[in-house]
Amino acid sequence: MSVMDELVNILTLEPIEVNLFLGRSPPGERGRIFGGQVVAQALTAAYKTVNGSICHSLQSYFIRPGDPTLPVLYQVERSRDGKSFATRRVIAIQKGEQIFNLACSFQVPEDGYDHADEMPSAPRPEELQEESERLRIVFKDHPEELARATRDRPIETRHISPINILAPEIKPSAHQMWFRARGDLGDDIGLNQALLAYASDYSLLGTSMRPHGVSWMSGVQTASLDHILWFHRPTNFSRWHLYVQDSPSASGARGFNRGAIYREDGVLVASAAQEGLIRKR
């Protein structure tokens, strides 16, 4: 099974009862569940309770670390079904406790006013080093981290101004990254939104650490506290997308991060925001 097939399998939740779904993590995962995975699974659960509407925004909170060796129960509350908009709340549960919750809004497709910021200039992804190749150099003397960092992943990434997480230097918070899914899954809007939600958590938290010359491997405790996405336009996430990120503020051991996601033809398809814990150990 390819890593892309494995991700699609993870996002194919098991129905348990009306409004109840079961999600699992990839075999062999350790530590805590990847935040983007929980966001994507919760969005998938919400999609299973709407008909013909498209998600335009989601807001979520990470409450407890998830255990990747255990399944996650997703409970969907059908808050409202209107003529144009539907609202859902999703609670993720492990061991009888909430580990995550999400609120999302869906809209029946309709035409309206249309404008968007232009995509900033950036080197093309073909001109940049694939992230796994870059990490082979970074972790060449750290075999355990090398194995984790260079394993096949369903999302391909290419950073324009990467940091060395073993020896980070002070850099501006604003940075850019190209990313895409490694397989083309067609134009299913809900599935592509779930893939984008999954990938949007890849680099956002680290943005607020760049101005301080630190990383999660240099004495900083990190954790995502929340994650917000606005889906502006449908997209096929198998294409290259430019993730433009910055961090306008950090205080109180929390870093605030923003992101704009552009399709490679310059169309703005989504915006993201996240606050994360960045605490000195």
Side-chain angles (χ1 to χ4, degrees):
M1 180 184 297
S2 71
V3 290
M4 199 66 237
D5 291 337
E6 185 177 78
L7 178 55
V8 173
N9 188 50
I10 290 168
L11 297 178
T12 306
L13 305 180
E14 177 186 349
I16 300 297
E17 182 51 271
V18 176
N19 300 331
L20 291 175
F21 306 91
L22 204 63
R24 292 179 170 82
S25 298
E29 285 291 303
R30 64 179 188 178
R32 61 191 181 196
I33 299 175
F34 171 52
Q37 175 186 312
V38 186
V39 175
Q41 287 182 330
L43 176 60
T44 300
Y47 254 112
K48 290 181 179 296
T49 68
V50 298
N51 185 22
S53 297
I54 298 171
C55 182
H56 67 89
S57 70
L58 64 83
Q59 302 186 26
S60 59
Y61 286 92
F62 298 95
I63 302 171
R64 296 179 175 89
D67 184 344
T69 66
L70 299 175
V72 180
L73 181 67
Y74 292 94
Q75 177 182 321
V76 182
E77 296 180 1
R78 305 187 187 216
S79 306
R80 178 178 184 267
D81 284 297
K83 292 181 179 180
S84 299
F85 291 88
T87 307
R88 297 291 184 265
R89 182 168 183 261
V90 185
I91 300 172
I93 301 168
Q94 277 190 330
K95 302 178 184 178
E97 295 182 323
Q98 290 189 35
I99 64 167
F100 170 89
N101 62 48
L102 172 146
C104 52
S105 180
F106 296 80
Q107 182 184 12
V108 176
E110 63 179 277
D111 294 328
Y113 300 109
D114 197 320
H115 78 273
D117 286 349
E118 291 186 3
M119 183 174 76
S121 61
R124 292 290 303 161
E126 296 81 10
E127 303 169 14
L128 302 169
Q129 190 176 36
E130 211 279 330
E131 183 66 359
S132 63
E133 294 304 315
R134 186 182 72 85
L135 293 178
R136 288 184 191 278
I137 300 171
V138 173
F139 291 121
K140 60 183 176 62
D141 297 323
H142 301 266
E144 184 175 350
E145 291 297 335
L146 177 65
R148 292 182 59 196
T150 58
R151 67 183 179 180
D152 288 340
R153 297 182 184 275
I155 308 300
E156 183 179 0
T157 60
R158 301 192 180 195
H159 292 261
I160 293 172
S161 178
I163 63 165
N164 181 339
I165 60 175
L166 290 179
E169 298 177 350
I170 292 176
K171 289 193 174 187
S173 72
H175 67 112
Q176 300 170 340
M177 174 185 80
W178 288 99
F179 63 161
R180 66 178 177 182
R182 290 190 182 273
D184 188 349
L185 300 174
D187 293 319
D188 181 287
I189 293 176
L191 178 57
N192 279 282
Q193 285 185 343
L195 292 172
L196 191 151
Y198 176 92
S200 66
D201 195 35
Y202 260 40
S203 62
L204 200 52
L205 177 56
T207 304
S208 58
M209 291 184 276
R210 290 170 62 94
H212 306 283
V214 296
S215 77
W216 63 272
M217 292 194 70
S218 66
V220 178
Q221 179 186 357
T222 65
S224 298
L225 299 175
D226 56 26
H227 198 85
I228 304 172
L229 279 170
W230 295 267
F231 299 106
H232 307 307
R233 297 166 181 84
T235 191
N236 185 324
F237 195 57
S238 65
R239 304 178 187 178
W240 281 114
H241 289 69
L242 182 67
Y243 201 177
V244 180
Q245 301 160 77
D246 76 325
S247 174
S249 176
S251 62
R254 304 182 316 276
F256 174 60
N257 311 283
R258 302 181 298 195
I261 300 172
Y262 296 86
R263 206 167 58 206
E264 63 179 334
D265 60 2
V267 175
L268 180 65
V269 298
S271 297
Q274 183 184 81
E275 193 172 46
L277 178 72
I278 50 170
R279 174 186 288 154
K280 291 184 179 180
R281 293 187 185 277

